[in-house]
Structures are given as C-alpha cells and as structure tokens.
Amino acid sequence: MPEVALERALRESVAGEVRFGEGDRALYATDASNYRQVPIGVVVPRDIDDVVKTVEVCRSFAAPILPRGGGTSLAGQCCNVAVVIDYSKYLRSVIAIDPDRRTARVQPGVVLDHLQEQAAPHGLMFGPDPSTHNRCTIGGMVGNNSCGVHSVMAGRTEDNVISLEVLTADGIRMTVGPTPDEELERLAGRGDRIGDIYGGLRDLRDRYAQRIRGGFPQIPRRVSGYNLPQLLPESGFDLARALVGTEGTCVSILEATVRLIPAPGARSLLVLGYPDVFAAADDVPMIMELGPIGLEGIDNELVEDMRKKRLHVDELQMLPKGRAWLLVEFGGDTKEESDDAAGRARDVLHRRSPAKPEAELYDDPQRESKIWEVRESGLGGTARVPGKGDTWPGWEDSAVPPGALGSYLRELRGLYDRYEYDAALYGHFGQGCVHTRIDFDLRSADGIARYRSFVEEAASLVLRHGGSLSGEHGDGQARAELLERMFGKDLVQAFREFRSIWDPDGRMNPGKVVDPYPIDVNLRLGVSYRPAPVQTAFAYPDDDGSFARATLRCVGVGACRRTDGGVMCPSFMVTHEEKDSTRGRARLLFEMLQGDPLERGWREDAVNDALDLCFSCKGCKSDCPVNVDMATYKAEFLHHYYAGKVRPRQAYALGLIPWTARLASLLPRLANAVTRGSMTGPLLKLMGGVAQERTVPPFAETTFASWFRAHERLPSAGSRGSVVLWPDTFNNHWHPETGRAAVRVMEEAGYRVLLPPKWVCCGRPLYDFGMLDMARATLRRDLKILRPALERGLPVVGLEPSCVAVFRDELTGLFPNDPDAQRLSSQAYTLAELLVEHTEGWQPARREGRALVQPHCHHHAVMGFGTDEEALRRTGLDVEILDAGCCGMAGAFGFESAHYEVSVAAGERALLPAVREAPDAIIVADGFSCREQIAQGAGRRAWHLAEVLAGDAEPYRKE
C-alpha cells in the first residue's frame, strides 16, 4: 500500500494531526497486552468531521482502521497494522447531561472520571467503573464492554448504553439503538446500505436465534464474543448494545448516549479477612444475597507482592487478619443506612459462614478510598515484583458463575502448580470475574509453547464451570482463537457474519475477535526479542543491570495518563499527548532497542523529542505502579544522544548554574545588575535559552556559607551530637535565610551544625541535561570531601529536596559498589526526617494559622512527604497538603524558553489557583523551583519548612 500517498491524502483532508513518522508509529505499536504490531500511521482528529474524513481517505486506499481510546487493552485489541485513530486528545467532551432522563451524551474520548465529575452534582453516576476510571475513555469502555467494581449494582457497559452514533468503514453514518419491529421492517426495506445492514442483521438473528438463546452462558460477566443476544426480539433488536464489546472490529463510535444511575448518598466498606482465597470465594453467593453494591476479592500473594514493592504499605496495615480478603461495599441514602447494611452483613457472616471471617467496618470516606486503592493497584502490584519473574496477561480475565468461584479457583490454582506458574488472584468476585498476571516465559520457543498449552487447558477449565474466557477485558487476540471452544462453530460463524454485515471488506481492526491471529504470534517479546546491547552510565541494579530490562518495566496500564491527582505525569496532564506520558516515553525507549522502526539507537530524534517535555520530576518513580524512573532514563539517553556533540545553549546556561552561581557570589550586586538589567537581562536570557517572561531571581548579597563562618552557636548546641548541613547551590546563593533558619532550628534541637570543609555540589542540574560524566566527577569530589564525616556516621541534612534525592537515588545508581556512596545514601536526611525520626522528644514552637503545602516532586517520589507533614502538624498549624502535582518549574525546565508555556500551564492546572485562593495561609514549599513558580506565577512568598519551624514564616508576603 502506498503509505506516502495515504499520508499526503490524510494531511490534505484532515484538520487534526496526521502522524506517519517512525516515532509516531513506534509509539502506538503496543497496548497493555503481550502483543506488538507497528501501525501504518496515526491520526489525532480534532472533531468528528476529521474522523469521517479519515475513514473516507482510508477507504480509498483500502487501509485498515483501528479506533483507539486510552490504549490500556490487555488482549491486544489496541495494536494493529492499521491507521490508528486516537480519540483521546481532542474528542473528550461531555456534550450534555439530562438529569431528568438520567442520560449523558458524550464524545468517545471522554475519560470516565470526567463524566462522573459532571454527573455528580445531579446525584448521578455512570455505573461501570473499572480500576482505570481516571484514564479510560467511554469509547474504549464501549469497545471492551467494561465493567468494574460497581457492575454488581449497575451491570456492564452493555447494560448502560442507550444509543450510539457510529461510522462504518464504507462511510455510513447512523445512530443505532433499540429497534421496534415495525421500524426494523421499514429500515430493512430502504434499499440502500443502511437497509442492507438492518436486513442483514435481522436475517442473521432469525437464522441463529435458537443457537443464540442456548449458546451464551447466563452469567454476570460474559464479555467474550459479540453480543448477539441483543438482536433477539426479547432484547428489542438493540444495535447499540449489540455493538458494545466489538472491540473496534465493526464500526467507529462517534458519540454515545449512556444511562446514568443514582449515586448512593453514602457508602460503607466491610473488609473481611479469610484463611485463604478459596474460603473467601465460597462465601460470595451468601454475601451477594445481602445486596452489596460492590464485592471484590484479593489474595495474600497480591498483598505480599505489594509489600515487596512497598506499594500502599500504610493501607495494607488496615486489612484485618487473614490471607485473603473480600471488600464488600454497601450503599444507602444516609450513612446510617449504609452502616446498618454493612453491620447486618457482618452479623450474618458471623452466624452462617463456616470460615468465620475477621471483619472490619470502614465508614470514613478517606479510609475507604485508601482500601480501594489497594484493589485498584492489582495489575501494577503484581507486575515486576522484586525477587520474582516478570508477569504477563494472557489469562487475566476469566469469569464463572459466582456460585462456582470457589471450585474454579481451587482447580485454577492446581493448574498453576502443575505448570509451575506463580500468580496472585484478585478481581470482581461478586460476579465471578478473576484477574491475575502469570509469570509466563514469552521469550523461548518452549516457554511460548507452554503458555499456549496452559491457556488451552485454562479455557477448558473455565468452560467446565459454565464460565467465559473473558469477564471484562475482551477477546482481542489473546482469547479470540479459543472462542470456538466456548461458543461452537455455528456461533463463531454468526460472529463472522455479524462483523461482515457492518464491515464487508474486513478493514476494521482485522485479526481481532473474528478470524484472529493465533494467540502466540505478534508477541511483543517472542523468540526474536533481541534488544540492542548498550553500555550505560547508571547501573540499574533493580533491573539486573540491564537498560533493556528497565525499558520493559512499563506494562501499559496507563496510570500516567490521568489528568488529575498525583505527580505523574505533568506534561501529559497539559498536552494529552501519548508521547508526553511516561508510558509513551518508556515504549519509545523499548522500541529504540528493537531497531525497527526506530533505527538510530541513542541518536534517535523521535526519542529525544518525546523526552523533551519530560519534567524529570521523578513522579513516575513513585506513582507508577511498576516504578518506571523516566528521569533517570532521560538523563541516560541525553548522555548518549549528545556524546561528542554540542548541547543546546540552555544546557550550559542552566546545567552549569552551580558554577556560575559561585562566580556571581564574588560580586553579587554586579551580577544582579547584569542579569536583571533592562538591556543586559533580555540579552542574557536570549543567549542562555531562558524565557523572556521569566524573572531571574536575584543573588543574595551574603551567601549562607559566608554567614555561617561568622555565626555564633547556641550554648546548648551539640548535646545531641553533630550534623553536617549541606549548603546547596540554591539556598546558599539565593535563599540564605533558609539555611540560617535551619541552623537555628537544629541548634535549638541540640545539634552542633557543621558545613563541609570545602565547596560541594550534588550536581542536580546536570542530570536534566544528561551531563553524567560531569555529574560523576562532581559526586566523586563530594564523597572525598565528606569521607571523614561519613566514617563518623554523621547525618548529612539537605534543605533542597532534589539534593537529598540525588544522594538517595542517582548516587547509588552511578556508584553502586562504592562504600562511601552507600554511606551517604543512608546518612542523608531531610530536615524533617532528622527532627521527627531521629530526635527523640523534639517539639517545635506552637503557632496558629493555616499552612498550604506544595511538596517537591523529588521529595514525594524518593523520600516521601510523611515526616514533613508530621513536623508541620506538630506546630499546631492547620495543614493542607496540596495534591497539585508538579509545580511546573521543575528545576531548569520552566526557565527554558521552549518550555515556558507548558511550565505555566502545569502550574495553572492546580497549584497557582490554590495559592491565589488562600491569602490567609502560610505557603510552604521546600523546593527552590516550587518557590520560584509560586513567586512568579502567583506573586506570593513561599516559605521553607525550616523557616516555618523557626517562626519566620508569615501568612502573606507579596513578591
């Protein structure tokens, strides 16, 4: 097929973005499954007309089409050799909500949580809510027939779709839904393509009606196969619901009208602890009789996996005693009603359950949400577990009648044992749906043959129990080959005919569901997986020393594609671009090592382009369920990409700021006059690639180190021993008041404060530009200077969070076997860690008021922010920790002219509005970049924790 001509025709016809570059194609080559297929190209439509024009152009070239939402499919239905239409960037609006009719009209790219937010003021919700609710799209949910926790209450997506506006591959645009008999006959007799569709589907129904009635298991979670029962007269010949779950193989969805249901006014969560997952499953039918609105199960292996990954550690402590747990949610109009329902269930189980489960009732929404986070992290929590093999989907989605769940799980565990597979069990137990990831060997011929054999046996097992191959994730490629076992040849032929009526030429997502690729081809790994060997600067000890293994961390679950909450991924929150997500970048690094279509290795411009808007915030290191560390990968890539080449001018102007700051401190007034002068300032910004809109912060006239040399210690200082205070570049040269406050606080706590005997620097700005040779040399010098203090075991206290993060993270990555590096990593503390965790009896001076706190991203990701919160609360302040994500400045990032707009947009997303709306609050931010973003974006002075504890901070000071 002439791809160049296709691309040209699309560019001429489509107002949106047409992307046929090697990087664009590589970006969409995989989803969250085991499969990989490089697409022909990608179209990002700006409006529905763009979708229509794209399909029209593709038809003229006989090009296959793949509609795509959030790209989190686990069965391979979101990757194909086709033109991918990505709805998620622009077509993401809630068109209208009708609270009286309890309906919503939405575009296919709208994220479920955004629909829920707009429905909530009316007391309504969309019932199905999978664990990906903060990034999955309604179009994708329709494609997969998604379910989620509350399908117990609301049913599958199929049950909540009223009508769909669809577009066929041959250009027919139509709105479908229930069709009364008279209307069906009228439409079937039109004599045009629409008439052919209605007539063909009517005839198919009539031919296969009896097989349809007898061939589909009557269970809550039958998602496998096409929804042919919706064609039956008793179902109202509902074409919208018949198209739900077709996985992009029949039509493209242009708009959906969906049913909304009343949201429970109150919810209560009953958590039950069982001796094992089988006993928990045995109690499911009894619990379902009690009317829960959600019933989920998790086993001990999942919990242990999370503990090994240190994922949700505090939340896991809330679980009652046991080795398997059921999370049973009850709803009511009031809290009293939901609590009473949960209490009655607890009493019934105490009387009737043979297992006599331990029970804990949670009725506080915040505590309930923490427990639900454990369940929602199941997929990520079972992937890349330390000390265990990599786990994969492939049999992650089976479903049986709830009454058969205990028996099925016992036999499934026996099958695991026979194949010597290791897997946790969890899922939507109230509807008999089981999720799991298994340590398949998908690289060797023997391992792949064993995978196929297991899946075939597992299919026979689930069918013996009256179940379905898929209970939520669909068939795609992973299970479609097995559909004949489940439905028989006749019904599979009916599926084939159903698809052909909609798509006679077979151009919609070919090779999925019907006439599928075999389950063991198109594997992302497979026997041909041979990543290019590379030498790296970082050691990657958590990835067996392999950068290739590091690029395999991403499992595609897409947690980085959320647009609210957490730190990861700030650039995606602004741009809604796949390449600006952690997942997109990780996938391109993986593709870089494959060599096709990306062929230039470390010199690959597509990877450099994707990394350009990476803030290096390290949010993914903690927020990503598999701990992808994109900041480190970016530094590694840039280190190689620019080897032997001149870097952009901002790399020198901003990356070498610790050294230029030292020079400026010799004549600070002159330096300020030059950098802030009306003529010289703009010129210097231009030369350094700094945004003209940014204000260059003034150098302090006296550095902190200079002040410290003349400082008189408190008489009591030293009663608790000595600490080394790290004089970082930013607090030394720009904010010496922070250092002075920290010295007072630590001396009042009984410490003798020391400074390193010579100038030191962690080199943090160097990492952002990949200057790793210089970073290593700088750290070697630091370790030599600090060696006497480290050997004495003295704590090294850092005030700039990014510096402490270097010592905890990058330092050991660059020097994994250096004893001094290990010592510094374990002896480096934040101020709060020293005072809260290592200073018995420490209490700060009490004060009144409110504190609005912006955690630094590296602080959140590497050290955690709990001790800072505790230190602030001990002051008596009313403390609010913002969940605003990255401030947007992110070190040098926000000062660069090329990044200014994205930086400001990131700040304006949540942080800056929150600061403006809190004139009476003390604004607290330890990071230099956070403080600058707040000062320059909101005109407010932000204070360091040290200044708050020292009593220097004031509620409002305009910069």
Side-chain angles (χ1 to χ4, degrees), residues 654 672 675-677 681-682 685 690-699 734 889 894-896 900 928 931-933 935-937 959:
L654 300 171
N672 289 333
T675 58
R676 296 165 66 86
K685 291 178 190 176
V690 174
Q692 294 294 333
E693 297 88 346
R694 288 298 184 193
T695 300
V696 176
F699 293 98
W734 280 283
M889 188 67 84
F895 280 97
E896 296 180 53
Y900 174 75
F928 174 80
R931 298 166 80 175
E932 278 302 308
Q933 183 79 311
Q936 299 195 27
E959 289 298 304

Side-chain angles (χ1 to χ4, degrees), residues 688-767:
V690 174
Q692 294 294 333
E693 297 88 346
R694 288 298 184 193
T695 300
V696 176
F699 293 98
E701 294 195 6
T702 301
T703 66
F704 164 68
S706 297
W707 170 87
F708 186 83
R709 284 193 290 270
H711 163 64
E712 293 186 10
R713 296 187 180 92
L714 290 178
S716 59
S719 60
R720 291 187 190 267
S722 298
V723 298
V724 176
L725 180 59
W726 184 262
D728 66 89
T729 295
F730 304 105
N731 287 307
N732 188 29
H733 294 286
W734 280 283
H735 290 296
E737 65 277 8
T738 300
R740 296 196 294 267
V743 169
R744 293 208 311 275
V745 170
M746 287 190 286
E747 287 187 347
E748 288 171 358
Y751 291 102
R752 182 186 181 203
V753 180
L754 308 173
L755 258 59
K758 297 180 181 179
W759 176 79
V760 288
C761 178
C762 73
R764 164 54 65 190
L766 299 172
Y767 300 94

Side-chain angles (χ1 to χ4, degrees), residues 34-36 75 394 441-456 476-482 511 516-528:
N34 299 329
Y35 301 101
R36 173 181 180 267
D441 168 13
L442 297 178
R443 301 188 190 187
S444 72
D446 287 346
I448 294 169
R450 192 172 178 79
Y451 156 65
R452 168 178 274 281
S453 175
F454 170 85
V455 169
E456 290 175 346
Q477 182 177 345
R479 285 170 283 276
E481 187 186 350
L482 303 169
Y517 298 106
I519 63 174
D520 50 4
V521 304
N522 300 326
L523 292 173
R524 180 153 35 117
L525 299 182
V527 295
S528 61

Side-chain angles (χ1 to χ4, degrees), residues 300-367:
N300 187 62
E301 188 152 353
L302 172 61
V303 168
E304 288 304 309
D305 286 349
M306 289 187 176
R307 286 193 175 120
K308 289 176 183 176
K309 298 179 69 169
R310 300 203 55 78
L311 184 67
H312 300 306
V313 175
D314 293 337
E315 290 82 354
L316 293 177
Q317 302 304 316
M318 298 168 64
L319 296 173
K321 183 180 178 182
R323 293 185 59 79
W325 296 266
L326 293 179
L327 281 55
V328 193
E329 187 174 65
F330 291 89
D333 292 334
T334 66
K335 201 63 175 169
E336 183 179 12
E337 284 185 15
S338 62
D339 279 353
D340 285 349
R344 287 194 299 272
R346 180 179 53 194
D347 294 343
V348 167
L349 287 164
H350 181 71
R351 294 194 309 270
R352 294 174 52 192
S353 171
K356 297 292 187 291
E358 297 282 334
E360 190 74 42
L361 176 59
Y362 295 98
D363 60 1
D364 174 67
Q366 287 188 333
R367 300 189 77 198

Side-chain angles (χ1 to χ4, degrees), residues 463-477:
L463 296 177
R464 285 202 307 274
H465 283 82
S468 173
L469 305 173
S470 173
E472 182 165 33
H473 299 154
D475 301 313
Q477 182 177 345

Side-chain angles (χ1 to χ4, degrees), residues 51 55 58 63-68 77 80 82-83 85 87 167-171 226 246-253 499 502-514:
V51 178
V55 171
C58 288
I65 299 165
L66 169 57
R68 188 176 189 269
Q77 54 268 71
N80 215 325
V83 174
I85 304 177
Y87 288 83
L167 178 68
T168 66
D170 56 355
Y226 290 152
T246 52
E247 303 179 20
T249 61
C250 295
V251 297
S252 295
I253 297 167
R499 174 176 179 164
W502 291 104
D503 180 26
D505 298 320
R507 291 191 292 106
M508 295 301 300
N509 205 11
K512 315 293 176 169
V513 186
V514 170

Side-chain angles (χ1 to χ4, degrees), residues 919 921 939-943 947 952-959:
R940 292 285 300 276
R941 164 74 185 270
W943 304 85
E947 296 173 290
D952 298 340
E954 300 172 6
Y956 188 83
R957 182 184 292 178
K958 190 171 182 178
E959 289 298 304

